[in-house]
Amino acid sequence: MSGPTQCFGPRGVRRGAALTLVFAGVLATGAVTGSLPRGSAKSEEFATRSVASTVDRDEVAAAAARAVADGKSGKEAAEEVVSRSGDRWGAVYDERQYEEFEQALDGSYTGVGISAKRSADGQVEVARVQPGGPADRAGIEPGDLLRTIDGHRVDRRPVAEVVALLRGDRTEAAAGTTVVLGIERGTGLRTETLRRARLTTEAVTVRRIDHPRADSSGPSDSSGAVLIEVDSFTRGSGTKVRDAVRDAPSDAGVLLDLRGNSGGLVTEAVTAASAFLDGGLVATYDVHGEQRALYAQPGGDTDRPLVVLVDGGTMSAAELLTGALQDRGRAVTVGSRTFGKGSVQMPSKLPGGSVAELTVGHYRTPAGRGVDGRGITPDLTVGSGAEQRAETVLSGLGGGS
């Protein structure tokens, strides 16, 4: 088991959103196509700072080995070391949990089929309902407000944490377990008991945004724009973004919606970046101080107007993509500051069969900006009505008028 991983959210959030998402095998597969020169004061200072915040893998493995030799849980012993280390993103998983993550990379997860977002007035709102899922069968609809989960109010919780609760992350709830939701629609409040199921998501959805003619004398403008929503960077999602851009009408702009995107495979984010860039740098990162880089493939569409929507749920690989398009001057970014997950994790198998995912470095945008703990500030900060404002900006760029 080798190669760094991109994770997101606190441990509980990672498991719930089920996308601990693996930079996995980036080095082994050759997706990293170059390394950075070392020796500058700036890169040395950054490397020292990033490695100082990590935990030693050998120490974790030794703790697990001692526990197993004493007939105790290697996983619990390793977790204790990681928790003391100050590694914000470090975590330890048993074999079943890690298998869940591998399945998540294919877009499979345990949950109720709800995608949530922050509403205009700060509430947790149902953004999408998966057709045929438990929430859909219960009559839950986009626009409904989530007030409680298992009796606990969720109004002020981060959206990613709400998703983790829906999926039963912290209790390691499996398919078939129940979750009780307090749902508000209009002035009515009701309670729904849903049974979690194993679901498969469609990470990328594409639809046209048509705009009426200025003189209102004819049908909607045939060019319009294309909205590409990317919920996560699971396997194949980057190719789907690239195909959607290639298939769009030549005069249509693109609104790339990364709101609530909790991250994913970095290789997929780089492929998505390649849809809009003609080669060049996407990000730099370090592994134990050794500087490396990720590059876009040549031949992307560099002329089509592009607006990227982000919010506080935009994390990890989605932030990497946002930062690349922003720094390269390829897109106008609209929304609110992103989450701020810019560290690199590497998985390793421990005695007893558990897996430790430990921070080994951080990544930076092409302009050298660190993301971890800072997030990315969009070019245009918008509280409510972000999608409408983004469409207006796209139209002003000539991509949807």
Side-chain angles (χ1 to χ4, degrees), residues 90-146:
V92 183
Y93 311 101
D94 62 31
E95 290 177 284
R96 184 192 65 80
Q97 291 165 343
Y98 206 78
E99 183 180 351
E100 286 277 319
F101 295 147
E102 289 297 310
Q103 293 173 349
L105 294 176
D106 291 317
S108 177
Y109 74 100
T110 297
V112 297
I114 287 178
S115 176
K117 67 178 181 180
R118 188 69 61 185
S119 68
D121 58 356
Q123 305 299 320
V124 178
E125 178 180 324
V126 176
R128 284 183 295 278
V129 177
Q130 184 164 336
D136 183 37
R137 293 195 299 270
I140 296 173
E141 299 176 356
D144 288 348
L145 298 180
L146 280 172

Side-chain angles (χ1 to χ4, degrees), residues 39-56:
S40 70
K42 183 175 181 181
S43 65
E44 287 177 355
E45 183 267 338
F46 173 60
T48 300
R49 183 172 67 251
S50 65
V51 173
S53 66
T54 64
V55 59
D56 183 77

Side-chain angles (χ1 to χ4, degrees), residues 41-54 286 288-289 291 359-364 368-372 374:
K42 183 175 181 181
S43 65
E44 287 177 355
E45 183 267 338
F46 173 60
T48 300
R49 183 172 67 251
S50 65
V51 173
S53 66
T54 64
D286 63 291
H288 295 305
Q291 301 297 305
T359 300
V360 296
H362 296 77
Y363 72 74
R364 288 181 177 266
R369 293 182 293 161
V371 175
D372 205 51
R374 300 181 180 93

Side-chain angles (χ1 to χ4, degrees), residues 264-298:
L265 285 160
V266 172
T267 48
E268 297 295 339
V270 172
T271 300
S274 300
F276 305 102
L277 300 171
D278 186 14
L281 188 64
V282 173
T284 61
Y285 67 100
D286 63 291
V287 176
H288 295 305
E290 181 181 347
Q291 301 297 305
R292 304 177 185 184
L294 295 163
Y295 294 97
Q297 299 168 3

Side-chain angles (χ1 to χ4, degrees), residues 221-260:
D221 190 337
S222 61
S223 61
V226 174
L227 172 65
I228 303 176
E229 297 176 275
V230 187
D231 287 340
S232 57
F233 286 106
T234 52
R235 290 190 180 96
S237 57
T239 299
K240 290 180 180 177
V241 171
R242 187 176 59 198
D243 291 345
V245 173
R246 289 175 176 173
D247 293 343
S250 59
D251 54 353
V254 169
L255 179 55
L256 182 64
D257 191 348
L258 300 180
R259 291 175 298 176

